[in-house]
Amino acid sequence: MRSFHHPLPLLLQTVTILCLFPTALASSKTLLIPSTSFNSTTTFNTYWSLNYPWGTDHNGAARMSPSQVTTSPSTDGTSSTLTLTAHRVTGQKPATHGGKQIPIKYLSGAIHAKQHFAITSSVTGYDFSAEFRAPVAKGT
């Protein structure tokens, strides 16, 4: 199980995430993020935010960009796909961390859930499910 409280930084490769959705199966049977959350821009914006919660840069060599995030529903409308893509760039303004400048070598996509939820020993009953596909060839 994994909490999607933190963003999903998927760098240096194109990653497609199918039907990404945590569901709460506790006694309340509350659905936190539905499997249809990537089906439209309106639905996506209800449950997800682009980039990291703190902005576009982290202490690495990639900058998050909304242009690197795409969503698309399946042809039958029963599922949807989120694609996060990274590509090498030059000429970006450097990031700063700890007073040091870090060159930006990649633009990448990242999202994070708007709803925050914590998994602790006293909070049980959450079921997180997702399907992931990523290329495995060297350099992808």
Side-chain angles (χ1 to χ4, degrees):
M1 288 190 211
R2 176 181 174 159
S3 167
F4 288 99
H5 174 94
H6 299 287
L8 300 171
L10 300 167
L11 307 175
L12 312 180
Q13 57 190 342
T14 299
V15 177
T16 301
I17 303 171
L18 301 172
C19 304
L20 175 63
F21 56 97
T23 58
L25 297 178
S27 60
S28 66
K29 305 278 186 197
T30 301
L31 181 66
L32 298 178
I33 301 176
S35 62
T36 57
S37 68
F38 301 145
N39 280 9
S40 72
T41 301
T42 301
T43 306
F44 178 89
N45 290 336
T46 299
Y47 296 100
W48 303 98
S49 291
L50 296 169
N51 303 323
Y52 295 116
W54 58 85
T56 59
D57 297 341
H58 191 40
N59 59 351
R63 177 164 287 137
M64 301 306 109
S65 172
S67 66
Q68 303 305 112
V69 178
T70 59
T71 59
S72 58
S74 64
T75 54
D76 64 5
T78 61
S79 63
S80 50
T81 300
L82 167 71
T83 302
L84 305 174
T85 305
H87 71 274
R88 198 160 174 83
V89 294
T90 59
Q92 291 285 310
K93 177 184 169 189
T96 57
H97 180 73
K100 295 181 180 180
Q101 289 194 341
I102 303 167
I104 297 296
K105 297 180 182 177
Y106 293 89
L107 286 182
S108 184
I111 66 169
H112 63 278
K114 288 184 177 182
Q115 170 142 2
H116 293 227
F117 35 90
I119 307 302
T120 66
S121 60
S122 62
V123 177
T124 61
Y126 281 93
D127 179 31
F128 293 86
S129 61
E131 294 179 37
F132 298 86
R133 263 192 315 188
V136 295
K138 186 175 181 176
T140 62

